[in-house]
Amino acid sequence: MRRKSAETRERMIDAAYTLFYRSGFSRTGVDAVAEAAGVTKRTLYQHFPSKDALIEAVLERQHHLALERTRRWADKLSGDPAQIVATLFDQLAQWAQEKEWKGSGFTRAAFEFADMPGHPARGAARRHKDALEAHLAGKFSRLDPKTAASVARQLMLLLEGCQSLVLVHGDLRYIDSARDAALTLVQNLKPQTRSLEGGA
């Protein structure tokens, strides 16, 4: 029984994220989520006492999934900073070309609830972006511990900024421009080892 309940909860989270990402967090009602998940609204509220609680659960699950994907991908990278940065933006360009791409769900959530600083979605977005920035800083810390945090923050600005402008203009060339700026940013960083992971 407990396993079935957990499966139902996961199904609701999956359905909610799909609808939230497609139509927006504010515009998607719990009725639509329940219908997409194949459950009654009463069942949904048995698992999530409010829509805000559902949004928080969705973003928390997506945070762990997205961070794990980023870590698996980034941990395979080695070599000079320019190679890592170029690959990072190439991956972003590939993602942005997907038919249903609408930018980062965490960024969109933060914007939708911009007038509600205490909303769980704002906290989830902040934790996710902080974790990504910290991971980038870790990748560059073996090059220059003194500048790693600053470089990571500037890369986050370029990553977030180009995604927003691609959404505004529908022009993927903003990612190319951000890549060029990022390459300029890291061009003076010199690896102290042959690999950012410290390998031989």
Side-chain angles (χ1 to χ4, degrees):
M1 188 69 176
R2 185 175 299 174
R3 179 179 177 182
K4 184 177 180 181
S5 177
E7 291 174 349
T8 300
R9 187 177 191 276
E10 289 302 302
R11 192 166 70 250
M12 288 187 287
I13 288 175
D14 287 340
Y17 183 78
T18 298
L19 293 173
F20 289 155
Y21 190 78
R22 180 189 305 152
S23 304
F25 293 85
S26 299
R27 289 186 295 169
T28 301
V30 292
D31 288 314
V33 174
E35 182 179 354
V39 300
T40 64
K41 192 161 69 170
R42 179 181 179 183
T43 298
L44 188 147
Y45 278 123
Q46 286 175 344
H47 288 266
F48 306 100
S50 66
K51 181 181 175 182
D52 284 350
L54 175 61
I55 290 173
E56 185 175 21
V58 166
L59 290 177
E60 185 65 21
R61 212 276 293 275
Q62 286 303 123
H63 162 69
H64 290 294
L65 291 175
L67 195 60
E68 182 58 30
R69 284 195 299 267
T70 300
R71 284 174 174 163
R72 286 200 307 267
W73 168 74
D75 287 346
K76 296 177 182 178
L77 294 177
S78 61
D80 61 53
Q83 176 189 353
I84 291 173
V85 165
T87 304
L88 179 66
F89 282 89
D90 286 345
Q91 292 289 320
L92 174 58
Q94 289 180 28
W95 180 39
Q97 292 178 60
E98 293 181 5
K99 185 177 180 180
E100 298 297 321
W101 185 80
K102 293 181 175 68
S104 166
F106 293 94
T107 302
R108 291 177 60 200
F111 287 167
E112 282 196 47
F113 299 102
D115 60 338
M116 302 171 65
H119 194 279
R122 292 282 301 277
R126 184 168 53 252
R127 288 191 299 274
H128 181 70
K129 300 301 182 180
D130 282 347
L132 288 178
E133 186 174 327
H135 191 66
L136 285 174
K139 295 300 292 182
F140 290 100
S141 64
R142 299 197 180 206
L143 297 170
D144 186 348
K146 294 181 180 179
T147 64
S150 176
V151 168
R153 177 151 296 191
Q154 291 175 75
L155 284 174
M156 287 294 293
L157 285 168
L158 291 168
L159 289 164
E160 289 289 322
C162 71
Q163 290 182 72
S164 296
L165 288 169
V166 168
L167 286 171
V168 169
H169 297 288
D171 188 348
L172 290 172
R173 289 177 297 178
Y174 280 99
I175 297 176
D176 297 331
S177 297
R179 181 195 294 109
D180 293 342
L183 289 172
T184 299
L185 174 66
V186 301
Q187 67 182 354
N188 293 323
L189 294 176
K190 301 297 182 184
Q192 297 173 355
T193 65
R194 292 177 61 188
S195 165
L196 284 182
E197 300 305 319

